[in-house]
């Protein structure tokens, strides 16, 4: 019996030794797989391989990263001005975390851009600049819709590298209100594209905007606002749109009501349709509204009694999200989610070289696109030199005299009952 017990003990001891050696070997294998090749968590070789592998990650849908992301997502821009370098580590960390912890693409949400006429010229890369900033700095990998009158081949560089871009071809229109009218047709245009059937929330942004902070916070904010407005307690309220308060100058401000910025627009697939249709009717009244979509919007929201009952605008908090930059802001490397250098006025006030540095260093745009300035014919919505607003006085337009309304170019229409 003693000999049998001794044999059993020796076999148990041998088995324990074998298990310990096996555990050590397996641990070594895992360590060799998981450790970076160059000893740095965001080194160039390791980072590039991780970005390239994103194309196979289901959580990112079908977005390709060959061109759109991996050229600058981890590589810091060179020769940046001193003040712009201070965010380098923050930008790198945000990019790294987005790759390490990808989030599932939400097919119910999309971003829309409108690119018409001169903005699509071969030597103008405003569209590419905008898209690159959305992907690289905004870290948004979902659907981008581009409404354009240009040939599909004009956007080959984008379409060949990013399969989450949907192109919608439309007819050419003259600059001004006719081309701006497409903004009011966005939901109808989505209806004609089967690939966009799942989209419930659409974020429109002017194509001359660049993204200089990650978009996930703003997208969550917009979704929460829409979820609130879609509660049963709000079911009897009118159609709605989500907009920022205007930060630049606007002649409508003299009437004392909030003026809204038309460069960013949050839309619900069903609940925003009436707003867009009514706005569209006013776009077509070119005798009274020949050049400014803001004037038509102001009339709809504050002056016409019938239209006021049909549409409301929910104001988005601009402070963390919207920057209408000055030269001083660019030099200091100030950022926001949406940085809007309006074509013409602001673009002319800030040197081309400073703009290019900002787009490269703060929005991670390729140098060839960063150097493409906003130099094409547009109608600017009434901005005046140096005039901005931080706080808007609330007032009532009902106290306006007929003379003041006539002076503004607005005529009361008391029986504008649209079907």
């Amino acid at each position: 019996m003693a000999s049998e017990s001794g044999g059993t003990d020796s076999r148990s001891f041998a088995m324990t030794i074998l298990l310990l050696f096996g555990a050590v070997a397996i641990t070594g294998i895992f360590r060799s797989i998981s450790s970076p090749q160059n000893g740095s968590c965001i080194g160039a070789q390791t980072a590039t391989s991780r970005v390239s592998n994103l194309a196979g990650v289901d959580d990112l849908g079908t977005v390709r990263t060959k061109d759109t992301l991996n050229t600058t997502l981890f590589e810091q821009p060179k020769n940046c001005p001193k003040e712009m370098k201070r965010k380098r580590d923050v930008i790198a960390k945000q990019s790294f975390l987005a790759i390490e912890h990808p989030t599932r693409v939400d097919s119910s949400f999309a971003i829309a851009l409108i690119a018409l006429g001169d903005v699509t010229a071969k030597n103008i890369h405003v569209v590419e600049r905008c898209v690159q900033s959305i992907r690289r700095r905004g870290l948004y990998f979902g659907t981008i819709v581009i409404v354009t009158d240009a040939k599909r081949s004009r956007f080959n560089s984008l379409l060949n590298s990013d399969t989450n871009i949907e192109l919608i071809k439309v007819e050419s229109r003259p600059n001004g209100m006719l081309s701006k009218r497409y903004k009011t047709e966005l939901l109808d245009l989505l209806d004609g594209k089967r690939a966009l059937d799942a989209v419930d929330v659409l974020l429109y942004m002017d194509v001359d905007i660049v993204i200089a902070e990650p978009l996930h916070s703003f997208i969550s904010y917009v979704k929460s606002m829409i979820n609130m407005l879609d509660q049963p307690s709000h079911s009897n309220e009118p159609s709605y749109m989500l907009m920022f308060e205007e930060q630049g100058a606007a002649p409508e401000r003299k009437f004392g009501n909030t003026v809204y910025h038309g460069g960013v627009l949050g839309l619900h697939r069903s609940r925003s349709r009436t707003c867009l249709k009514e706005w569209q009717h006013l776009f077509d009244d070119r005798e009274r509204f020949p050049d400014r979509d803001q004037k038509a919007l102001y009339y709809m929201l504050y002056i016409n009694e019938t239209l006021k009952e049909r549409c409301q605008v929910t104001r988005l908090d601009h402070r963390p999200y919207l920057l209408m930059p000055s030269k001083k802001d660019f030099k200091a490397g100030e950022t926001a989610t949406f940085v809007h250098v309006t074509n013409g006025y602001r673009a002319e006030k800030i040197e081309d070289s400073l703009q290019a540095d900002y787009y490269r260093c703060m929005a991670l745009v390729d140098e060839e696109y960063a150097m493409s300035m906003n130099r094409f014919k547009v109608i600017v919505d009434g901005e005046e030199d140096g005039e901005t607003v931080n706080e808007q006085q609330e007032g009532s337009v009902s106290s306006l005299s007929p003379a003041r309304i006539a002076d503004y170019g607005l005529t009361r229409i008391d029986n504008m009952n649209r079907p």
Side-chain angles (χ1 to χ4, degrees):
M1 295 292 290
S3 62
E4 289 181 6
S5 176
T8 301
D9 290 343
S10 62
R11 285 195 297 272
S12 298
F13 178 75
M15 184 65 70
T16 301
I17 294 298
L18 287 173
L19 288 174
L20 286 173
F21 274 112
V24 170
I26 292 172
T27 301
I29 292 171
F30 275 108
R31 282 180 177 173
S32 65
I33 292 173
S34 61
S35 60
Q37 297 176 11
N38 61 357
S40 171
C41 65
I42 55 172
Q45 185 175 357
T46 305
T48 301
S49 65
R50 284 173 178 164
V51 176
S52 299
N53 288 337
L54 275 179
V57 178
D58 290 338
D59 279 353
L60 288 179
T62 58
V63 68
R64 297 291 184 263
T65 61
K66 183 183 73 174
D67 235 7
T68 310
L69 292 177
N70 66 4
T71 54
T72 64
L73 194 56
F74 283 90
E75 298 173 11
Q76 291 302 309
K78 298 178 181 179
N79 303 318
C80 293
K82 181 179 179 180
E83 290 302 316
M84 295 184 192
K85 289 180 180 178
R86 61 189 173 89
K87 278 204 169 184
R88 179 171 54 189
D89 293 340
V90 173
I91 292 173
K93 183 177 180 181
Q94 289 171 338
S95 301
F96 179 71
L97 289 175
I99 299 306
E100 288 293 288
H101 305 285
T103 57
R104 183 174 296 278
V105 167
D106 182 0
S107 61
S108 69
F109 182 91
I111 293 175
L113 311 173
I114 297 177
L116 305 170
D118 294 341
V119 75
T120 64
K122 289 183 178 180
N123 61 331
I124 300 292
H125 300 293
V126 176
V127 179
E128 288 85 351
R129 185 182 72 193
C130 182
V131 170
Q132 280 193 345
S133 73
I134 291 171
R135 295 298 196 209
R136 293 174 175 177
R137 190 67 191 100
L139 299 171
Y140 168 77
F141 306 115
T143 301
I144 297 176
V145 180
I146 301 177
V147 176
T148 184
D149 57 356
K151 294 181 179 179
R152 185 178 180 85
S153 58
R154 166 62 183 80
F155 298 107
N156 277 345
S157 64
L158 291 175
L159 299 173
N160 290 339
S161 62
D162 190 333
T163 59
N164 266 18
I165 291 179
E166 291 289 339
L167 218 61
I168 297 180
K169 185 75 166 61
V170 295
E171 295 180 355
S172 297
R173 291 175 180 173
N175 282 335
M177 290 291 275
L178 281 177
S179 61
K180 290 181 179 183
R181 190 181 190 274
Y182 278 123
K183 192 187 302 187
T184 69
E185 301 173 39
L186 283 171
L187 296 180
D188 294 332
L189 292 170
L190 256 61
D191 292 343
K193 197 85 169 176
R194 182 174 296 179
L196 301 173
D197 283 350
V199 175
D200 289 326
V201 179
L202 186 68
L203 177 68
Y204 164 80
M205 53 183 280
D206 281 356
V207 75
D208 57 351
I209 291 174
V210 295
I211 302 300
E213 290 287 350
L215 274 162
H216 58 81
S217 172
F218 180 76
I219 292 174
S220 296
Y221 174 44
V222 168
K223 288 179 179 177
S224 67
M225 295 286 284
I226 287 178
N227 287 337
M228 177 190 71
L229 292 168
D230 282 346
Q231 294 299 312
S233 59
H234 294 272
S235 60
N236 294 326
E237 293 184 3
S239 178
Y240 64 83
M241 302 184 290
L242 278 58
M243 304 177 78
F244 290 116
E245 181 182 346
E246 180 60 80
Q247 300 305 296
E252 292 85 1
R253 209 169 264 122
K254 64 185 178 182
F255 297 129
N257 290 282
T258 300
V259 180
Y260 290 100
H261 179 71
V264 179
L265 188 61
L267 301 171
H268 185 274
R269 185 77 176 248
S270 60
R271 293 288 306 279
S272 298
R273 286 185 183 270
T274 299
C275 277
L276 292 182
K277 287 296 182 185
E278 299 297 354
W279 200 9
Q280 189 178 113
H281 289 312
L282 298 180
F283 268 74
D284 294 337
D285 188 351
R286 287 187 290 280
E287 183 177 347
R288 285 185 300 154
F289 308 106
D291 56 3
R292 301 191 66 252
D293 55 340
Q294 279 182 319
K295 180 186 286 189
L297 181 64
Y298 192 93
Y299 175 82
M300 180 173 73
L301 296 177
Y302 299 116
I303 293 180
N304 184 272
E305 298 297 332
T306 301
L307 298 184
K308 284 196 296 183
E309 300 298 322
R310 292 178 176 267
C311 177
Q312 67 180 21
V313 169
T314 297
R315 181 167 60 180
L316 296 168
D317 186 2
H318 69 271
R319 286 176 177 81
Y321 298 118
L322 177 65
L323 175 64
M324 305 289 283
S326 64
K327 180 177 178 179
K328 182 179 178 181
D329 292 327
F330 264 21
K331 282 187 173 181
E334 296 295 339
T335 60
T337 309
F338 302 93
V339 178
H340 197 177
V341 182
T342 50
N343 299 322
Y345 167 71
R346 291 183 185 275
E348 292 174 358
K349 298 293 182 181
I350 304 173
E351 295 96 330
D352 289 354
S353 60
L354 179 57
Q355 289 188 59
D357 282 341
Y358 185 90
Y359 298 140
R360 283 191 312 106
C361 299
M362 308 311 293
L364 303 183
V365 172
D366 283 347
E367 185 170 1
E368 62 177 309
Y369 299 151
M371 293 299 292
S372 180
M373 297 299 110
N374 304 330
R375 295 292 182 263
F376 42 90
K377 184 180 179 182
V378 294
I379 294 177
V380 180
D381 283 348
E383 289 193 312
E384 299 173 7
D385 192 3
E387 188 171 348
T388 58
V389 63
N390 293 321
E391 297 295 333
Q392 184 67 42
Q393 293 182 349
E394 299 295 335
S396 173
V397 80
S398 61
S399 61
L400 291 178
S401 68
R404 287 189 67 193
I405 294 174
D407 176 64
Y408 182 57
L410 301 175
T411 305
R412 285 190 183 276
I413 300 179
D414 296 323
N415 297 313
M416 260 181 100
N417 294 315
R418 304 285 186 191

